[in-house]
Coordinates of all heavy atoms in Angstrom, one line a residue:
M1 N 109.1 127.2 106.8 CA 108.3 126.1 106.4 C 109.0 125.3 105.1 O 109.1 126.2 104.2 CB 106.9 126.5 106.1 CG 105.9 125.5 106.3 SD 104.2 126.2 106.3 CE 103.6 125.5 104.8
Q2 N 109.2 124.1 105.2 CA 109.7 123.4 103.9 C 108.7 122.8 103.2 O 108.0 121.9 103.8 CB 110.8 122.4 104.5 CG 112.1 123.0 104.5 CD 113.1 121.9 104.6 OE1 113.0 121.1 105.5 NE2 114.2 121.9 103.9
T3 N 108.6 123.0 101.9 CA 107.7 122.4 101.0 C 108.4 121.9 99.8 O 108.0 122.2 98.7 CB 106.5 123.3 100.7 OG1 107.0 124.5 100.1 CG2 105.7 123.7 101.9
P4 N 109.5 121.1 99.9 CA 110.3 120.7 98.7 C 109.6 119.7 97.8 O 109.8 119.6 96.6 CB 111.6 120.1 99.3 CG 111.0 119.6 100.7 CD 110.0 120.5 101.1
L5 N 108.5 119.0 98.4 CA 107.8 117.8 97.5 C 106.7 118.5 96.7 O 106.2 117.9 95.8 CB 107.4 116.8 98.3 CG 108.5 115.9 98.9 CD1 107.9 114.9 99.9 CD2 109.1 115.1 97.7
Y6 N 106.3 119.8 97.0 CA 105.2 120.3 96.5 C 105.3 120.5 94.8 O 106.5 121.0 94.6 CB 104.7 121.7 97.0 CG 104.0 121.2 98.3 CD1 103.8 120.1 98.9 CD2 103.3 122.4 99.0 CE1 103.1 119.8 100.0 CE2 102.6 122.1 100.2 CZ 102.5 120.9 100.7 OH 101.9 120.6 102.0
Q7 N 104.4 120.3 94.2 CA 104.4 120.7 92.8 C 103.6 121.8 92.5 O 102.5 122.0 93.2 CB 104.1 119.7 91.8 CG 105.0 118.5 91.8 CD 104.7 117.3 91.0 OE1 103.5 117.1 90.7 NE2 105.6 116.5 90.6
E8 N 103.8 122.6 91.4 CA 102.7 123.7 91.1 C 102.0 123.2 90.0 O 102.3 122.7 89.0 CB 103.7 124.9 90.7 CG 104.4 125.6 91.9 CD 105.0 126.9 91.4 OE1 105.0 127.2 90.2 OE2 105.4 127.7 92.3
Y9 N 100.7 123.4 90.2 CA 99.7 123.1 89.1 C 99.1 124.3 88.5 O 98.5 125.1 89.3 CB 98.5 122.2 89.8 CG 99.1 120.8 90.2 CD1 99.6 120.7 91.5 CD2 99.1 119.8 89.4 CE1 100.1 119.4 91.9 CE2 99.7 118.6 89.8 CZ 100.2 118.4 91.0 OH 100.7 117.2 91.4
R10 N 99.3 124.4 87.2 CA 98.9 125.5 86.5 C 97.8 125.3 85.5 O 97.6 124.2 85.0 CB 100.1 126.2 85.9 CG 101.2 126.7 86.9 CD 102.4 127.2 86.3 NE 103.4 127.8 87.2 CZ 103.2 129.0 87.8 NH1 102.3 129.8 87.4 NH2 104.1 129.4 88.7
C11 N 97.1 126.4 85.3 CA 96.1 126.3 84.2 C 96.7 126.3 82.8 O 97.6 126.9 82.6 CB 95.1 127.6 84.2 SG 94.0 127.9 82.9
P12 N 96.1 125.4 82.0 CA 96.9 125.1 80.7 C 96.5 126.3 79.7 O 97.3 126.5 78.8 CB 96.2 123.8 80.2 CG 94.9 123.6 80.9 CD 95.2 124.3 82.3
N13 N 95.5 127.1 80.0 CA 95.3 128.2 79.1 C 96.1 129.4 79.4 O 96.6 129.9 78.5 CB 93.8 128.6 79.3 CG 92.7 127.5 78.9 OD1 93.1 126.8 78.0 ND2 91.5 127.4 79.5
D14 N 96.1 129.9 80.7 CA 96.8 131.1 80.9 C 98.1 131.0 81.9 O 98.5 131.8 82.3 CB 95.9 132.1 81.6 CG 94.9 131.4 82.5 OD1 95.5 130.6 83.3 OD2 93.8 131.7 82.7
N15 N 98.3 129.6 82.2 CA 99.4 129.4 83.1 C 99.4 130.0 84.4 O 100.4 130.1 85.1 CB 100.7 129.8 82.3 CG 101.9 129.0 82.8 OD1 101.8 127.6 83.0 ND2 103.1 129.6 83.0
K16 N 98.2 130.3 84.8 CA 98.0 130.7 86.2 C 98.0 129.7 87.2 O 97.6 128.7 86.9 CB 96.5 131.5 86.2 CG 96.4 132.2 87.5 CD 95.0 133.0 87.5 CE 94.7 133.7 88.8 NZ 95.7 134.7 89.2
L17 N 98.8 130.0 88.3 CA 99.0 129.1 89.4 C 97.6 128.6 90.0 O 96.9 129.6 90.5 CB 99.9 129.6 90.5 CG 100.2 128.6 91.7 CD1 100.9 127.4 91.1 CD2 101.0 129.2 92.5
L18 N 97.2 127.5 89.9 CA 96.0 127.0 90.5 C 96.2 126.7 92.0 O 95.4 127.1 92.9 CB 95.3 125.8 89.9 CG 94.9 126.0 88.3 CD1 94.7 124.8 87.6 CD2 93.8 127.0 88.1
F19 N 97.1 125.9 92.4 CA 97.4 125.5 93.7 C 98.8 124.9 93.7 O 99.4 124.3 92.7 CB 96.4 124.7 94.3 CG 96.3 123.3 93.8 CD1 96.9 122.2 94.4 CD2 95.5 122.9 92.7 CE1 96.9 121.0 93.9 CE2 95.4 121.7 92.1 CZ 96.1 120.7 92.7
R20 N 99.3 124.7 94.9 CA 100.5 123.9 95.1 C 100.1 122.7 96.0 O 99.3 122.8 96.9 CB 101.7 124.7 95.7 CG 102.3 125.8 94.9 CD 103.5 126.3 95.6 NE 104.0 127.5 94.9 CZ 103.6 128.7 95.2 NH1 102.8 128.9 96.2 NH2 104.0 129.8 94.6
G21 N 100.8 121.6 95.7 CA 100.5 120.5 96.5 C 101.2 119.1 95.9 O 102.1 119.2 94.9
L22 N 100.8 118.1 96.3 CA 101.3 116.7 96.0 C 100.1 115.9 95.9 O 99.5 115.5 96.7 CB 102.4 116.2 97.1 CG 103.0 115.0 96.6 CD1 104.0 115.0 95.4 CD2 103.8 114.5 98.0
L23 N 99.9 115.5 94.5 CA 98.9 114.4 94.2 C 99.5 113.1 93.7 O 100.4 113.2 92.9 CB 98.1 115.0 93.0 CG 97.2 116.3 93.3 CD1 96.6 116.7 92.0 CD2 96.3 116.2 94.3
I24 N 99.2 112.2 94.4 CA 99.7 110.8 94.1 C 98.6 109.9 93.7 O 97.7 109.8 94.4 CB 100.4 110.2 95.3 CG1 101.6 111.1 95.8 CG2 101.0 108.8 94.8 CD1 102.9 111.1 94.9
D25 N 98.6 109.4 92.5 CA 97.5 108.5 92.1 C 96.2 109.1 92.3 O 95.2 108.4 92.6 CB 97.5 107.2 92.8 CG 98.5 106.2 92.2 OD1 99.0 106.6 91.1 OD2 99.0 105.3 92.8
S26 N 96.0 110.3 92.0 CA 94.7 111.1 92.2 C 94.3 111.9 91.0 O 95.1 112.2 90.3 CB 94.6 111.8 93.5 OG 95.8 112.5 93.8
E27 N 93.1 112.3 91.1 CA 92.6 113.2 90.0 C 91.7 114.2 90.6 O 90.8 113.9 91.3 CB 91.9 112.4 88.9 CG 91.4 113.0 87.7 CD 90.8 112.2 86.7 OE1 91.4 111.0 86.5 OE2 90.0 112.6 85.9
I28 N 92.0 115.6 90.2 CA 91.1 116.6 90.8 C 90.6 117.5 89.7 O 91.1 117.6 88.7 CB 91.7 117.3 92.0 CG1 93.0 118.3 91.4 CG2 92.3 116.5 93.1 CD1 93.0 119.5 91.9
E29 N 89.6 118.1 90.1 CA 88.9 119.0 89.1 C 89.0 120.4 89.8 O 88.4 120.4 91.0 CB 87.5 118.6 88.8 CG 86.8 119.0 87.7 CD 85.4 118.4 87.4 OE1 84.6 118.7 88.3 OE2 85.3 117.6 86.5
I30 N 89.4 121.5 89.2 CA 89.5 122.8 89.7 C 89.1 123.7 88.6 O 89.4 123.6 87.4 CB 90.9 123.1 90.5 CG1 90.9 124.4 91.2 CG2 91.9 123.0 89.2 CD1 92.1 124.5 91.9
K31 N 88.4 124.8 89.2 CA 88.1 125.8 88.1 C 89.1 127.0 88.3 O 89.3 127.6 89.5 CB 86.7 126.4 88.5 CG 86.0 127.4 87.4 CD 84.6 127.9 87.9 CE 83.6 127.1 86.9 NZ 82.3 127.8 87.4
C32 N 89.5 127.4 87.1 CA 90.6 128.4 87.2 C 89.9 129.8 87.5 O 88.8 130.1 86.8 CB 91.2 128.6 85.8 SG 92.3 130.0 85.5
R33 N 90.3 130.6 88.4 CA 89.8 131.8 88.8 C 89.9 133.0 87.7 O 89.3 133.9 87.7 CB 90.4 132.2 90.1 CG 89.6 131.7 91.3 CD 90.3 132.0 92.6 NE 91.6 131.5 92.7 CZ 92.4 131.8 93.7 NH1 92.1 132.4 94.7 NH2 93.6 131.1 93.8
N34 N 90.9 132.7 86.9 CA 91.4 133.8 85.9 C 90.3 133.5 84.7 O 89.7 134.4 84.3 CB 92.7 133.7 85.5 CG 93.1 134.8 84.8 OD1 92.9 135.8 85.2 ND2 94.0 134.6 83.7
C35 N 90.3 132.4 84.0 CA 89.6 132.1 82.7 C 88.3 131.3 82.9 O 87.6 131.1 82.0 CB 90.5 131.5 81.7 SG 91.0 129.9 82.2
K36 N 88.1 131.0 84.2 CA 86.9 130.2 84.6 C 86.6 128.8 83.9 O 85.5 128.2 84.0 CB 85.5 131.0 84.3 CG 85.5 132.4 84.6 CD 85.5 132.6 86.2 CE 85.4 134.0 86.5 NZ 86.0 134.2 87.9
Q37 N 87.8 128.3 83.4 CA 87.7 127.0 82.8 C 87.9 126.0 83.8 O 88.8 126.1 84.7 CB 88.8 126.8 81.7 CG 88.7 125.4 81.1 CD 89.4 125.3 79.8 OE1 89.3 126.1 78.9 NE2 90.2 124.3 79.7
L38 N 87.1 124.7 83.7 CA 87.2 123.6 84.6 C 88.5 122.8 84.0 O 88.6 122.5 82.9 CB 86.0 122.9 84.6 CG 85.7 122.0 85.7 CD1 85.6 122.8 87.0 CD2 84.4 121.3 85.4
V39 N 89.4 122.7 84.9 CA 90.7 122.0 84.6 C 90.8 120.6 85.4 O 90.5 120.6 86.6 CB 92.0 122.9 85.0 CG1 93.2 122.2 84.5 CG2 91.9 124.2 84.3
V40 N 91.0 119.7 84.8 CA 91.2 118.2 85.4 C 92.8 118.0 85.4 O 93.5 118.1 84.5 CB 90.5 117.2 84.6 CG1 90.8 115.9 85.3 CG2 89.1 117.4 84.6
L41 N 93.2 117.7 86.6 CA 94.6 117.4 86.9 C 94.7 116.1 87.4 O 94.1 115.6 88.2 CB 95.1 118.5 87.9 CG 95.1 120.0 87.6 CD1 95.3 120.8 88.7 CD2 96.1 120.4 86.5
N42 N 95.8 115.4 86.8 CA 96.1 114.2 87.2 C 97.4 114.1 88.1 O 98.3 114.8 87.9 CB 96.4 113.2 86.1 CG 95.0 113.0 85.3 OD1 94.1 112.5 85.8 ND2 95.1 113.6 84.2
G43 N 97.2 113.3 89.2 CA 98.4 113.2 90.1 C 99.5 112.4 89.5 O 99.4 111.7 88.6
T44 N 100.7 112.4 90.2 CA 101.8 111.6 89.8 C 101.7 110.2 90.1 O 101.1 109.9 91.2 CB 103.0 112.0 90.6 OG1 103.2 113.6 90.4 CG2 104.3 111.3 90.1
P45 N 101.8 109.2 89.2 CA 101.6 107.8 89.6 C 102.5 107.5 90.7 O 103.7 107.9 90.7 CB 102.1 107.1 88.3 CG 101.9 107.9 87.2 CD 102.3 109.5 87.9
S46 N 102.1 106.6 91.6 CA 102.9 106.3 92.8 C 104.1 105.5 92.5 O 105.1 105.7 93.2 CB 102.1 105.6 93.8 OG 101.7 104.3 93.2
N47 N 104.1 104.9 91.4 CA 105.4 104.2 90.9 C 106.5 105.1 90.4 O 107.6 104.7 90.0 CB 105.1 103.0 90.0 CG 104.5 103.4 88.8 OD1 104.4 104.6 88.4 ND2 103.9 102.4 88.0
A48 N 106.1 106.3 90.2 CA 107.1 107.3 89.8 C 108.0 107.8 90.9 O 109.1 108.4 90.7 CB 106.4 108.5 89.1
W49 N 107.6 107.4 92.1 CA 108.3 107.8 93.3 C 109.2 106.5 93.8 O 108.6 105.4 93.8 CB 107.4 108.2 94.3 CG 106.7 109.5 94.0 CD1 105.6 109.6 93.3 CD2 107.1 110.9 94.3 NE1 105.1 110.9 93.1 CE2 106.2 111.7 93.7 CE3 108.1 111.4 95.1 CZ2 106.2 113.1 93.9 CZ3 108.2 112.8 95.2 CH2 107.1 113.6 94.6
L50 N 110.4 106.8 94.1 CA 111.2 105.7 94.6 C 110.6 105.2 96.0 O 110.4 104.0 96.2 CB 112.7 106.0 94.7 CG 113.4 106.0 93.3 CD1 114.8 106.6 93.6 CD2 113.5 104.5 93.0
C51 N 110.4 106.0 96.9 CA 110.0 105.6 98.2 C 109.5 107.0 98.8 O 110.0 108.1 98.8 CB 111.1 105.2 99.1 SG 110.4 104.5 100.6
L52 N 108.3 106.9 99.5 CA 107.7 108.0 100.1 C 107.9 107.9 101.6 O 107.6 109.0 102.3 CB 106.1 108.0 99.8 CG 105.7 108.3 98.4 CD1 104.3 108.0 98.3 CD2 106.3 109.7 98.2
K53 N 108.5 107.0 102.1 CA 108.7 106.9 103.6 C 109.9 107.9 103.9 O 110.8 108.1 103.3 CB 109.2 105.5 103.9 CG 108.1 104.6 104.1 CD 108.5 103.2 104.5 CE 108.2 102.1 103.6 NZ 109.1 100.9 103.5
K54 N 109.4 108.6 105.1 CA 110.2 109.8 105.4 C 111.7 109.5 105.6 O 112.5 110.3 105.1 CB 109.6 110.4 106.8 CG 110.1 111.8 107.0 CD 109.3 112.3 108.1 CE 109.6 113.9 108.3 NZ 110.9 114.4 108.0
D55 N 112.1 108.5 106.3 CA 113.5 108.2 106.6 C 114.0 107.1 105.8 O 115.2 106.6 106.1 CB 113.7 108.0 108.1 CG 113.2 109.0 109.0 OD1 113.5 110.2 108.7 OD2 112.6 108.9 110.0
C56 N 113.5 106.8 104.9 CA 114.0 105.7 103.9 C 115.2 106.2 103.2 O 115.2 107.2 102.6 CB 112.8 105.2 102.9 SG 113.5 104.0 101.8
P57 N 116.2 105.4 103.1 CA 117.5 105.8 102.4 C 117.2 105.9 100.9 O 118.0 106.5 100.2 CB 118.5 104.7 102.8 CG 117.7 103.5 103.3 CD 116.4 104.1 103.8
H58 N 116.3 105.1 100.4 CA 116.0 105.2 98.9 C 115.2 106.4 98.5 O 114.9 106.5 97.3 CB 115.3 103.8 98.6 CG 116.0 102.6 98.8 ND1 117.2 102.3 98.4 CD2 115.7 101.7 99.8 CE1 117.7 101.2 98.9 NE2 116.7 100.7 99.7
R59 N 114.8 107.1 99.3 CA 114.1 108.4 99.0 C 114.9 109.3 98.2 O 116.1 109.5 98.5 CB 113.6 109.0 100.3 CG 112.5 109.9 100.1 CD 112.1 110.6 101.6 NE 111.6 111.8 101.4 CZ 110.6 112.2 102.0 NH1 109.8 111.5 102.7 NH2 110.2 113.6 101.9
E60 N 114.3 109.8 97.1 CA 115.0 110.6 96.2 C 115.2 112.0 96.7 O 116.2 112.6 96.8 CB 114.3 110.6 94.9 CG 115.3 110.6 93.8 CD 114.6 110.5 92.3 OE1 113.4 110.4 92.4 OE2 115.2 110.2 91.4
I61 N 114.0 112.7 97.1 CA 114.0 114.0 97.6 C 113.9 114.1 99.0 O 113.1 113.2 99.6 CB 113.0 114.8 96.9 CG1 112.8 114.5 95.3 CG2 113.0 116.3 97.3 CD1 111.5 114.7 94.8
D62 N 114.6 114.9 99.7 CA 114.5 115.0 101.1 C 114.1 116.5 101.6 O 114.4 117.4 100.9 CB 115.8 114.6 101.9 CG 115.4 114.1 103.3 OD1 114.3 114.1 103.7 OD2 116.5 113.9 104.0
Ligands
LIG1 ZN1 92.9 129.7 83.3

């Protein structure tokens, strides 16, 4: 299984891995299972990506 685009989102308090995924222009709220703190995570702005189309030659990561 290839997941090269996924980023790891970690708790700012204890650096515990919250989840892996790809957030674009989104915001989510998740509770850390370790320290029980509610963490708000912001996705990557879509303009930070060159191109998201799968077969586009301008795509940075494949
Ligand atoms: Zn935590």
Side-chain angles (χ1 to χ4, degrees):
M1 206 169 114
Q2 261 191 316
T3 54
L5 285 170
Y6 282 7
Q7 293 178 340
E8 292 188 344
Y9 292 89
R10 293 178 179 273
C11 175
N13 291 329
D14 45 34
N15 209 39
K16 192 175 171 64
L17 181 66
L18 299 170
F19 69 96
R20 287 190 193 89
L22 182 62
L23 298 177
I24 305 287
D25 279 345
S26 37
E27 186 173 324
I28 66 137
E29 209 176 58
I30 188 170
K31 189 183 259 183
C32 177
R33 276 176 292 178
N34 197 45
C35 65
K36 313 292 182 206
Q37 178 168 312
L38 206 56
V39 180
V40 176
L41 298 165
N42 294 298
T44 309
S46 57
N47 59 13
W49 296 81
L50 277 175
C51 189
L52 289 172
K53 281 181 237 153
K54 197 172 187 327
D55 297 317
C56 179
H58 300 299
R59 193 173 150 136
E60 218 172 12
I61 315 159
D62 204 7

